[in-house]
Amino acid sequence: MRTAYKVRVYPTEQQAAVLTRTFGCVRLVWNKVLAWRHARYHQEGLKTSYAETDRYLTELKRDPEFAFLYQVSSVPLQQTLRHQYTAFVNFFAGRARYPRFKSRHGRQSATYTRSAFRWRDGRLYLAKMDGPLRLVWSWPDVDPATLTPTTVTISRDGDGRWYASLAVDTDTEPEPMSATGRAVGVDLGVKDFAVTSDGERIPNPRHLERKLRNLARYQRRTARRQRGSANREKAKAKVAAAHRKVRNARRDFLHKTTTRLVRDHDVIAIEDLNVRGMVRNRRLARAISDCAWGEFRTLLEYKCERYGRRLVVIDRWHPTSKTCSACGHLLAELSLSTRHWTCPSCGTRHDRDVNAAKNILAAGRAVSACGADVRHSGSSRVRSAVKQEAQPVRAGIPRL
């Protein structure tokens, strides 16, 4: 199993200069190779392999104009070629967008493999540096001297903070959590971040909205500064620090929420939301992005896999809000503004979100029973088990 430890790093002035030079060379290689790959495809119709980019980097180093590339370690430069190759593989597979050029503004990073760093007694030595990097270890129950990192990624955020991410391969798998015998359906929303089938409402902390006033003030202050001045850089650092606080608070909330759900339930059912399509709504785009539903699902997936839980993702087209969780009656229409409704078949009064969470749980249990593929990705895939079942009809109204 692979895990990672991200720690704060405090480089000296000389070390910071070496790392800054490395970031610039990594960015240059990425942009040069990307431009060459793009022109080669559009002008000659040729695809570019990793070996060809490697040879291009060698020719680039031989150019006297780029002789400064020899001043930094060659490993981060090779790694950026591998990252770009992976980015194109993900793009052609439909998992990511087209790779973009890197900017000198914002977050910078460089990745070192084992041939370019040493990890001795919990101290990190990087290539082209004389002494170790000073870092702060934040896991008192883990002895850093016992770790054997495979890769190290050094990064610097826009606010000037330095970090090191240590990727570690371990042979020991974490012990599965004891069974609880409980299952839960989770309906995600904006007003309430999540509503469970048990009736629990998890409030939406709205981290970005609470910081918008300060963030807007810092952005106005940055706009008034002269471009290229030191004061503008200081103002930009404050904007980056405000975004960092929002990002860290959001990540902390997501980790605590997902950890509690995984600890208390054996089966967790959620809905396959089309977040990319939903953020196209100009009125709700910022609120939806602030919820970070995609990151919530990613955290749930790896935590369920790590601790022996099961995550079931039901079809996004399943009418969870319009279906009565008591009798299965399906409404013809249900507007988004309607938060409560009464079933015309059995008379049950429903809260829209709690009812949707109950239907998500029922669909998840049906999927767990038959093992069908519940993710909808066009007509080539099998629809969810609930969708495949025969639908009994009474008085012209379909029922699930």
Side-chain angles (χ1 to χ4, degrees), residues 25-31 33 37 50 57 74-86 102 109 111:
C25 293
V26 166
R27 185 175 61 249
L28 173 71
V29 169
W30 173 283
N31 292 340
V33 174
R37 184 196 295 263
Y50 169 76
L57 175 59
S74 62
V75 173
L77 306 184
Q78 295 290 338
Q79 286 299 113
T80 195
L81 297 182
R82 294 186 177 93
H83 293 166
Q84 189 175 113
Y85 176 78
T86 303
K102 291 186 180 294
S109 65
T111 302

Side-chain angles (χ1 to χ4, degrees), residues 1 7 12 18-19 25-26 40 70 74 80 126 149 159 183-184 194 213 284 293 304 311 340 345 351 378 383:
M1 183 188 69
V7 297
T12 63
V18 173
L19 291 174
C25 293
V26 166
R40 191 165 183 257
Y70 285 105
S74 62
T80 195
L126 294 178
D159 58 351
V184 68
R213 186 174 180 179
L284 298 176
W293 293 332
C304 287
L311 177 66
H340 296 82
S345 179
D351 178 278
R383 298 295 291 274

Side-chain angles (χ1 to χ4, degrees), residues 29 32 55-63 66 69:
V29 169
K32 286 288 184 180
R55 290 192 291 270
Y56 180 79
L57 175 59
T58 302
E59 296 297 328
L60 194 66
K61 284 185 173 182
R62 292 174 179 173
D63 190 341
F66 302 104
L69 293 177

Side-chain angles (χ1 to χ4, degrees), residues 130-198:
D130 296 333
L133 274 175
R134 178 173 171 262
L135 54 85
V136 177
W137 193 253
S138 304
W139 292 268
D141 56 336
V142 178
D143 184 6
T146 61
L147 300 179
T148 307
T150 57
T151 61
V152 173
T153 301
I154 306 296
S155 60
R156 185 188 63 200
D157 283 351
D159 58 351
R161 291 194 174 192
W162 297 80
Y163 298 93
S165 297
L166 312 175
V168 181
D169 290 332
T170 59
D171 297 331
T172 58
E173 295 286 341
E175 296 183 1
M177 292 183 177
S178 57
T180 62
R182 299 177 58 190
V184 68
V186 181
D187 179 62
L188 301 177
V190 174
K191 181 179 179 182
D192 294 310
F193 175 80
V195 179
T196 68
S197 55
D198 301 330

Side-chain angles (χ1 to χ4, degrees), residues 327-346:
C327 68
H329 179 80
L330 179 63
L331 294 180
E333 292 182 359
L334 183 64
S335 63
L336 187 61
S337 60
T338 303
R339 310 312 302 175
H340 296 82
W341 59 279
T342 302
C343 177
S345 179
C346 65

Side-chain angles (χ1 to χ4, degrees), residues 85-313:
Y85 176 78
T86 303
F88 271 98
V89 169
N90 293 333
F91 166 71
F92 288 118
R95 295 188 295 265
R97 58 183 175 182
Y98 191 84
R100 299 178 296 174
F101 292 96
K102 291 186 180 294
S103 171
R104 67 176 60 189
H105 306 289
R107 183 178 181 273
Q108 308 291 320
S109 65
T111 302
Y112 296 78
T113 59
R114 286 177 176 174
S115 60
F117 75 89
R118 290 178 299 163
W119 180 261
R120 291 183 178 178
D121 300 327
R123 308 182 74 181
L124 178 61
Y125 300 81
L126 294 178
K128 303 290 184 178
M129 292 186 186
D130 296 333
L133 274 175
R134 178 173 171 262
L135 54 85
V136 177
W137 193 253
S138 304
W139 292 268
D141 56 336
V142 178
D143 184 6
T146 61
L147 300 179
T148 307
T150 57
T151 61
V152 173
T153 301
I154 306 296
S155 60
R156 185 188 63 200
D157 283 351
D159 58 351
R161 291 194 174 192
W162 297 80
Y163 298 93
S165 297
L166 312 175
V168 181
D169 290 332
T170 59
D171 297 331
T172 58
E173 295 286 341
E175 296 183 1
M177 292 183 177
S178 57
T180 62
R182 299 177 58 190
V184 68
V186 181
D187 179 62
L188 301 177
V190 174
K191 181 179 179 182
D192 294 310
F193 175 80
V195 179
T196 68
S197 55
D198 301 330
E200 178 188 3
R201 294 182 177 273
I202 302 176
N204 185 0
R206 300 178 184 272
H207 299 288
L208 181 59
E209 185 175 332
R210 291 190 290 108
K211 295 289 185 179
L212 273 180
R213 186 174 180 179
N214 287 338
L215 186 59
R217 185 171 72 252
Y218 293 149
Q219 290 172 335
R220 289 194 300 267
R221 188 178 302 171
T222 302
R224 290 194 295 265
R225 299 294 185 264
Q226 183 178 358
R227 291 184 179 273
S229 64
N231 286 335
R232 185 179 178 89
E233 294 301 321
K234 295 177 183 178
K236 287 172 62 178
K238 286 193 174 183
V239 173
H243 280 293
R244 171 179 52 80
K245 293 177 181 179
V246 172
R247 182 172 62 252
N248 290 344
R250 183 188 297 121
R251 185 177 294 120
D252 179 73
F253 166 76
L254 293 176
H255 271 292
K256 289 179 178 177
T257 303
T258 53
T259 298
R260 184 168 61 87
L261 288 173
V262 171
R263 185 191 303 118
D264 296 342
H265 304 91
D266 295 335
V267 178
I268 303 173
I270 61 175
E271 201 170 9
D272 182 24
L273 297 177
N274 182 18
V275 181
R276 182 180 297 180
M278 297 172 71
V279 295
R280 294 176 182 174
N281 186 327
R282 296 179 61 185
R283 296 183 178 180
L284 298 176
R286 184 163 59 190
I288 293 175
S289 299
D290 192 22
C291 291
W293 293 332
E295 186 175 359
F296 174 79
R297 174 173 169 176
T298 301
L299 295 179
L300 270 183
E301 286 177 345
Y302 94 79
K303 290 182 181 181
C304 287
E305 181 180 0
R306 176 173 294 184
Y307 297 109
R309 304 305 198 196
R310 180 168 187 188
L311 177 66
V312 182
V313 184

